[in-house]
Amino acid sequence: MNIGQAAEQTGLPAKTIRYYEDIGLVTAPRHGNGYRYYADRQLEQLRFVGRARLLGFSIEECRSLLSLQANRQRTNAEVKTILKQHLNTVDHKLVELQSMRSSLVELEQACPGDEDSNCPILKNLAGNNIRVD
Amino acid sequence: MNIGQAAEQTGLPAKTIRYYEDIGLVTAPRHGNGYRYYADRQLEQLRFVGRARLLGFSIEECRSLLSLQANRQRTNAEVKTILKQHLNTVDHKLVELQSMRSSLVELEQACPGDEDSNCPILKNLAGNNIRVD
DNA sequence: ATTGACCTTCCAGTGACTGGAAAGTTTATT
DNA sequence: AATAAACTTTCCAGTCACTGGAAGGTCAAT
């Protein structure tokens, strides 16, 4: 199977699949004409990476996960450690985004959004903090 | 005031302040020796951008906000529109992250994290979905 | 023989910085 | 006055994970 079909099968763009090969994440053998050849093993690896990426794992984390999957001596603990670290990162991002969101909602409510020009949003950004109390 | 003190005053790294000038976001006049000179106006703009960035506004959004702030003909509506768009973006990201998080937590709970090698996390990534029902 | 759909590599751009090199300037110390 | 330390300048490269596009090779069908 050529890269186009592999893309179709895995849901990953062909460009991305080539990129993964470039960085040595998922490599594919070649036909005589230089075309990449995708068999079950490669498709599985690509789908594996695709799913891990959907969960937000970085490329380097995907690399580690792929290598653990290939290693029969791995332990559940090793895998779980990577997951926990990633979960921590996600939690940090969530806290950040939620704090942004609550500030934004506060500003949204403070601004009437009319044709006036005395915008509380700009005032806040300029340092005049909104006092709600 | 030179860039180092401006950095100290605004909390932005000098590198970042130079970058903002590079992209024409906040420009500063120069001393005779070529050093950038920061007066109140520039400091205010830098702090403005700094706060907007903390709220997650993109550089281009910051540019729009700065230009609205400089424009007396602006309306609250124009400012609020930018904020609402950004809030939408933040909400989308939150949904995505929360969905990632719940999948990750599920996987975390499914994996005992012991010295075994039959890892449910890897199984899930490989396509063997966890069945909880 | 030619069209069109593939495939290849390589280079450049994204966003928002950040690090580092090489060189000029100012300030402080000796 | 010389020197060293601390500042500043510009420019180039790297980050992350792709994505777009150009130029050219290959293959299947008409």
Side-chain angles (χ1 to χ4, degrees):
Chain A
M1 172 183 318
N2 288 341
I3 199 169
Q5 288 183 312
E8 209 179 325
Q9 291 289 312
T10 60
L12 298 171
K15 272 268 179 190
T16 299
I17 297 178
R18 281 193 204 98
Y19 171 69
Y20 287 166
E21 181 163 318
D22 258 25
I23 62 173
L25 187 63
V26 176
T27 57
R30 306 287 180 124
H31 281 294
N33 59 9
Y35 286 19
R36 289 169 182 83
Y37 177 77
Y38 293 86
D40 285 352
R41 167 156 174 69
Q42 284 77 39
L43 291 179
E44 280 159 20
Q45 290 184 329
L46 287 173
R47 288 199 200 96
F48 183 97
V49 171
R51 289 196 195 92
R53 295 287 300 130
L54 281 179
L55 292 179
F57 286 102
S58 72
I59 292 289
E60 287 316 307
E61 285 164 340
C62 289
R63 203 190 293 279
S64 303
L65 289 170
L66 270 179
S67 118
L68 284 175
Q69 202 204 17
N71 173 13
R72 293 193 190 165
Q73 260 66 56
R74 75 176 174 250
T75 62
N76 290 345
E78 291 173 283
V79 183
K80 194 168 183 177
T81 295
I82 295 180
L83 186 136
K84 275 184 182 165
Q85 278 174 11
H86 176 49
L87 186 51
N88 252 328
T89 306
V90 168
D91 280 342
H92 282 305
K93 283 189 191 158
L94 270 172
V95 166
E96 237 193 334
L97 271 183
Q98 272 155 354
S99 137
M100 280 181 193
R101 193 193 125 87
S102 75
S103 300
L104 290 169
V105 167
E106 210 176 310
L107 290 174
E108 186 192 24
Q109 287 166 355
C111 178
D114 55 19
E115 297 305 307
D116 258 40
S117 65
N118 64 336
C119 183
I121 298 169
L122 292 179
K123 277 187 190 146
N124 180 271
L125 289 173
N128 283 22
N129 286 346
I130 295 174
R131 292 263 134 259
V132 190
D133 36 302
Chain B
M1 168 185 316
N2 288 341
I3 199 168
Q5 288 181 313
E8 209 177 323
Q9 291 289 314
T10 62
L12 298 171
K15 273 268 177 190
T16 299
I17 297 178
R18 282 192 204 99
Y19 171 69
Y20 288 166
E21 181 162 318
D22 258 23
I23 61 172
L25 187 64
V26 175
T27 56
R30 305 289 180 122
H31 283 294
N33 58 9
Y35 285 19
R36 290 170 182 84
Y37 176 77
Y38 292 86
D40 284 353
R41 167 156 176 69
Q42 284 77 38
L43 291 180
E44 281 160 21
Q45 291 184 330
L46 287 173
R47 287 198 200 96
F48 183 97
V49 171
R51 288 195 196 91
R53 295 287 301 129
L54 281 179
L55 292 178
F57 286 103
S58 73
I59 291 290
E60 288 316 308
E61 285 164 339
C62 290
R63 203 189 293 277
S64 304
L65 290 170
L66 271 178
S67 117
L68 284 174
Q69 202 205 17
N71 173 13
R72 293 192 191 165
Q73 261 67 54
R74 76 177 172 248
T75 62
N76 290 345
E78 291 174 284
V79 183
K80 194 168 182 176
T81 295
I82 295 179
L83 186 136
K84 275 183 184 167
Q85 278 175 12
H86 176 47
L87 185 50
N88 252 327
T89 307
V90 168
D91 280 341
H92 281 305
K93 281 190 193 158
L94 271 172
V95 167
E96 235 194 334
L97 271 183
Q98 272 155 355
S99 137
M100 279 181 193
R101 193 193 124 87
S102 74
S103 300
L104 290 169
V105 167
E106 210 175 310
L107 289 174
E108 186 192 23
Q109 286 166 354
C111 179
D114 56 19
E115 298 304 308
D116 259 39
S117 65
N118 63 336
C119 182
I121 299 169
L122 292 180
K123 277 187 192 149
N124 180 271
L125 290 173
N128 283 22
N129 288 345
I130 294 174
R131 294 260 136 260
V132 190
D133 34 304

